[in-house]
Amino acid sequence: MQQPDHIVELRARLDAGDPGALLEFLETLPADEKVFAVASLSAEEEERLLRALPPEAAARILNELPDFTSCELVRRLEPEVGAAILDEMRSDRQADLLGGIAEGEREALISALPEADALRARQLLNYAPDTAGGLMATEYLAFPEGARVGDVLRDLRANHERYTRFEVQYSYLLDGAGRLTGVLPMRELLFASEATPVRGLVRGNPKSVGCGETLANLRLFFDEHRFLGVPVVDPDGRLVGVVQRAAVQKESAREANRLWMRVSGIVGGEELRTMPLRDRTRRRGAWLGVNLLLNMGAATAIAFFEDTLTQVIALAMFLPIISDMSGCSGNQAVAVSMREMVMGVLRPRDAMRVAAREVSVGAINGVLLGSLLAIIAILVRGDAVLGLVVGAALALNTVLAVMVGGTLPLLVKALRLDPALVAGPILTTVTDLAGFVLVLWFATMALPYFTLSG
């Protein structure tokens, strides 16, 4: 298959060994085309590309690639080369990539960073990635309480090259101990005389969050406030970083993607086709193997009712319908519980409350779906008893499915397991087993009243 022209051109410029021409070509590509072109290179070509580019340009490339790909590329580079690229990144992005690299290789990279940057990186890695400390950037503008507008403006002009790496919407006022005392909107500086004390321009009693603030609470904070960023303070009130609204939105999207991948059975919550085949096979196969064993256990229930199934073979048509429909209902309840757990509004101790609320939803939907299936069975097979059996089985199994689906993630979480990964196979087994047993048990009791058989 012929490759797109921009990929061919990228390879040609890479082979030519002219870093300037290579960088000039990359800068002409739109962001999505640049990511696609780099991702189309082999691992060896990607490494050559990063070595050929200036560290700042290589950092821009890595910022646009998926985290796993960026981590793998940095990991394969010599520590000095990788550290030079990382040093061109903002602190929050740097921490993201370092956190995705094995400890031994990570330490080699950190040791190759300038001393101050290495200390900062180690501090950021101490925070969980889904907390304010893990999401914050340590690049921010802060000035002492005694400063005047002229002092601030001269500082901005003198350090404009360094400050261009900051995402500056606000600057902050600190007391002598580094404690946050106010927020200074940048626009206020533009309309004040140079002799004006900045203390008179700040907004007092500034909003802030602690280093351990969870992602769920940060989402709520930005939902309630129209801020572009929020300062992060340590237990003593000292300013240590700033969390941007965009960083919270990005991490929320990544968390939702990881959750979806885990629910879909991808162990670890991440997979790209650029990953090694062994890792991809292991991540998928572990879940599939467990699911197979659980489903085999559910299927054995049919053997106990073999005589009934032989006499009323029409039941075989409805068994997969009942198990699948109940599984869908249960998965809806799983999804709601997982969502509420991520938002921080649901905990394992709420299992009984969740079960009670799911019963009402399951009963209504169960009666409606069961009645519909009963009517279909009567119209298709001409047997009212068959309709009653399959309709009642679907109604009861729907109630059971939503109760189990709603509470299962909470119970699994209480056991310190991954609810997104474990809940799916268990729910499938329960709904299949219960559906088969209910249909065949009801049918066994109603055998004398069936008008059809065989």
Side-chain angles (χ1 to χ4, degrees):
M1 182 181 297
Q2 187 175 2
Q3 293 184 326
D5 292 342
H6 61 282
I7 298 178
V8 175
E9 179 68 16
L10 176 60
R11 281 200 166 97
R13 299 211 178 196
L14 182 60
D15 292 337
D18 184 346
L22 180 60
L23 178 59
E24 181 183 3
F25 172 70
L26 284 170
E27 294 296 335
T28 65
L29 295 178
D32 56 341
E33 292 294 342
K34 188 186 304 181
V35 171
F36 179 73
V38 174
S40 300
L41 300 176
S42 67
E44 183 269 336
E45 288 172 327
E46 288 176 333
E47 292 175 36
R48 285 171 50 206
L49 174 67
L50 293 182
R51 290 190 181 95
L53 294 173
E56 183 179 356
R60 290 199 298 270
I61 294 288
L62 291 181
N63 282 333
E64 293 167 354
L65 293 175
D67 283 357
F68 175 82
T69 303
S70 297
C71 289
E72 282 296 296
L73 284 172
V74 171
R75 184 185 66 80
R76 292 199 300 263
L77 296 172
E78 298 83 0
E80 295 74 17
V81 177
I85 296 173
L86 289 173
D87 195 41
E88 295 296 330
M89 296 180 178
R90 281 177 16 127
S91 56
D92 50 346
R93 177 60 175 163
Q94 189 182 97
D96 286 343
L97 295 189
L98 287 170
I101 298 174
E103 187 172 352
E105 297 169 322
R106 178 172 67 210
E107 185 55 36
L109 283 165
I110 293 177
S111 298
L113 289 169
E115 184 176 352
D117 293 338
L119 177 61
R120 180 191 62 192
R122 291 191 177 96
Q123 290 173 336
L124 290 178
L125 288 170
N126 287 328
Y127 300 111
D130 57 351
T131 64
L135 294 172
M136 70 182 181
T138 57
E139 296 88 358
Y140 54 83
L141 298 183
F143 302 99
E145 287 182 310
R148 296 182 179 274
V149 170
D151 301 326
V152 173
L153 294 177
R154 282 189 290 274
D155 179 78
L156 294 176
R157 286 191 290 267
N159 296 286
H160 71 278
E161 290 188 7
R162 183 164 66 92
Y163 290 164
T164 55
R165 295 175 55 183
F166 298 11
E167 290 191 11
V168 179
Q169 287 86 29
Y170 314 99
S171 57
Y172 303 97
L173 204 62
L174 308 180
D175 65 13
R179 290 186 294 263
L180 178 68
T181 59
V183 177
L184 176 63
M186 298 304 293
R187 59 175 293 176
E188 299 291 341
L189 292 170
L190 301 178
F191 303 105
S193 67
E194 292 195 358
T196 302
V198 293
R199 186 187 297 109
L201 303 177
V202 302
R203 298 172 182 173
N205 300 317
K207 300 285 186 183
S208 62
V209 297
C211 296
E213 201 67 74
T214 64
L215 179 62
N217 287 340
L218 289 171
R219 280 198 298 263
L220 291 175
F221 178 89
F222 282 112
D223 286 343
E224 295 171 2
H225 303 90
R226 299 181 62 184
F227 300 155
L228 297 175
V230 58
V232 183
V233 297
D234 68 11
D236 296 320
R238 290 188 293 265
L239 181 63
V240 293
V242 178
V243 173
Q244 302 289 345
R245 175 187 289 270
V248 172
Q249 293 172 338
K250 181 179 178 180
E251 183 61 25
S252 296
R254 287 159 61 182
E255 183 183 67
N257 181 67
R258 288 193 296 265
L259 177 60
W260 169 248
M261 295 289 278
R262 295 202 306 272
V263 168
S264 301
I266 304 298
V267 176
E270 180 66 280
E271 181 182 325
L272 294 172
R273 291 187 173 87
T274 53
M275 289 180 173
L277 179 60
R278 180 187 61 185
D279 292 344
R280 294 174 58 214
T281 303
R282 176 177 53 81
R283 286 168 180 257
R284 296 191 192 187
W287 186 85
L288 293 174
V290 171
N291 215 21
L292 174 62
L293 294 176
L294 291 173
N295 281 324
M296 286 297 297
T300 56
I302 297 176
F304 290 101
F305 298 95
E306 187 174 349
D307 291 342
T308 300
L309 190 58
T310 301
Q311 295 180 60
V312 189
I313 196 65
L315 292 170
M317 171 183 175
F318 296 95
L319 287 176
I321 296 175
I322 292 170
S323 63
D324 184 66
M325 289 302 301
S326 301
C328 289
S329 298
N331 281 323
Q332 289 175 332
V334 167
V336 174
S337 289
M338 292 299 301
R339 173 61 174 160
E340 291 183 337
M341 289 170 66
V342 168
M343 293 175 63
V345 299
L346 190 64
R347 291 182 171 86
R349 65 171 179 264
D350 300 319
M352 294 302 296
R353 176 175 63 84
V354 170
R357 293 197 172 188
E358 287 295 341
V359 165
S360 56
V361 176
I364 295 172
N365 283 340
V367 169
L368 293 174
L369 293 171
S371 299
L372 180 59
L373 184 62
I375 294 171
I376 293 173
I378 294 170
L379 292 176
V380 172
R381 306 300 300 188
D383 192 325
V385 176
L386 176 66
L388 181 61
V389 165
V390 298
L394 177 57
L396 288 176
N397 207 30
T398 298
V399 175
L400 176 65
V402 295
M403 287 179 61
V404 173
T407 58
L408 190 57
L410 302 175
L411 300 177
V412 171
K413 181 71 173 179
L415 296 174
R416 300 184 182 279
L417 299 174
D418 185 348
L421 192 62
V422 177
I426 296 178
L427 175 66
T428 300
T429 301
V430 171
T431 54
D432 285 355
L433 178 60
F436 296 159
V437 169
L438 285 171
V439 173
L440 296 171
W441 182 37
F442 288 169
T444 299
M445 292 190 295
L447 269 179
Y449 306 102
F450 277 98
T451 60
L452 57 85
S453 62

